[in-house]
Amino acid sequence: MQNIHPTAIISTEADIHEEASIGPHVVIDGPVTVGRGTTIIAQAYLTGHTTIGQDCVIHPFAAIGGPPQDYGFKGERSFCRIGDRNVIREGVTIHCASGEELETTVGNDCMLMAQSHIGHNCKVGNNVILTNCVLLAGHVSVGDRAILGGSAAVHQFARVGEFAMIAGKSQLRQDAVPFMIHEGNNYCFGINRIGLRRNGFSQAEINELRDCHRRLFTSGLIIRNAAEQLANKVKTAPAKRLIEFILADSKRGIGVHQKHSSGD
């Protein structure tokens, strides 16, 4: 294969598409699948039952598919599945799942910046941005188009909703609701107005999300009670998804701390 550098070490179990490109000193160890058009630049390490989709770019020293950092893991077969058109920068680590036949997944069109970490059993959606040194503990879920700022850390089993924006160095010990801006220990101080406008949300949708924020976070009501009151009143699809997120089962609960209210 012309696109594999002679210094790369490729397992005989690996399945490398003929249009993929494997750079110098890359190690692919085990039954790894690399899709068409994917480029692994140099010195990356891929292992385990890992699937990399099409047209991804993997930068030096990324380590993908390694065993989970979990004492309960006993070497059972589990998976790491990466979608299409993802950019995985220097030093990123993504671990396979803990538990027989379970998987860690990353969707499509994500940007995983340098030194970010995706722990075992995580589920990362599409168009997600993890800025440098973001840490996702095991079993975290991140919704589509969420953005996590540099060095933000998310507790195991926590959920980050779609279009949420998480400030750098935040410590999310509970769920971060969709469409909102969060900072610190889950302070929620307004809607992600700029992100919503850039992604084509209508003014009616933005206005209703703003109204939901005020009702949920500034009324003094218990957030679940407020969401139950809103469930049959909201009209737009984003607001309905916000309420569904809050009322869904959660192992960590919703972060309700509020530092200040901007009304946005």
Side-chain angles (χ1 to χ4, degrees), residues 11 14 22 42 48 56 66 99-100 129-130 149 195 247-248 256:
S11 169
I22 311 299
C56 295
E100 188 75 30
I129 298 175
L130 304 185
L247 297 179
V256 298

Side-chain angles (χ1 to χ4, degrees), residues 111-134:
M111 168 73 83
L112 312 179
M113 295 189 190
Q115 306 296 325
S116 55
H117 170 70
I118 298 176
H120 60 85
N121 302 82
C122 284
K123 297 188 182 303
V124 176
N126 301 317
N127 300 98
V128 169
I129 298 175
L130 304 185
T131 313
N132 299 49
C133 301
V134 166

Side-chain angles (χ1 to χ4, degrees), residues 22-201:
I22 311 299
H25 304 289
V26 168
V27 176
I28 298 180
D29 177 21
V32 175
T33 298
V34 178
R36 175 174 57 83
T38 285
T39 298
I40 305 177
I41 294 175
Q43 296 177 308
Y45 177 65
L46 282 65
T47 189
H49 294 276
T50 293
T51 301
I52 309 294
Q54 299 181 13
D55 299 314
C56 295
V57 180
I58 300 175
H59 287 253
F61 307 110
I64 302 174
Q69 297 174 131
D70 178 12
Y71 282 126
F73 181 70
K74 304 301 181 186
E76 62 270 17
R77 189 174 80 155
S78 62
F79 302 92
C80 180
R81 305 193 191 281
I82 311 296
D84 301 331
R85 299 176 302 279
N86 293 296
V87 177
I88 300 174
R89 294 303 303 257
E90 298 83 356
V92 168
T93 52
I94 307 173
H95 291 165
C96 70
S98 180
E100 188 75 30
E101 301 297 308
L102 299 181
E103 59 186 23
T104 301
T105 61
V106 176
N108 303 321
D109 301 295
C110 296
M111 168 73 83
L112 312 179
M113 295 189 190
Q115 306 296 325
S116 55
H117 170 70
I118 298 176
H120 60 85
N121 302 82
C122 284
K123 297 188 182 303
V124 176
N126 301 317
N127 300 98
V128 169
I129 298 175
L130 304 185
T131 313
N132 299 49
C133 301
V134 166
L135 305 176
L136 303 184
H139 302 272
V140 167
S141 67
V142 180
D144 294 347
R145 295 189 181 274
I147 299 176
L148 282 75
S151 299
V154 185
H155 194 285
Q156 61 190 20
F157 293 102
R159 300 178 297 154
V160 177
E162 61 180 301
F163 289 94
M165 176 171 283
I166 311 302
K169 297 185 179 180
S170 295
Q171 299 177 27
L172 299 186
R173 300 184 181 122
Q174 294 176 289
D175 298 343
V177 299
F179 310 113
M180 304 292 172
I181 300 174
H182 303 257
E183 70 173 9
N185 181 17
N186 266 47
Y187 292 120
C188 177
F189 60 87
I191 66 169
N192 182 11
R193 177 170 49 86
I194 293 175
L196 298 179
R197 286 179 175 172
R198 286 176 176 172
N199 283 279
F201 284 65

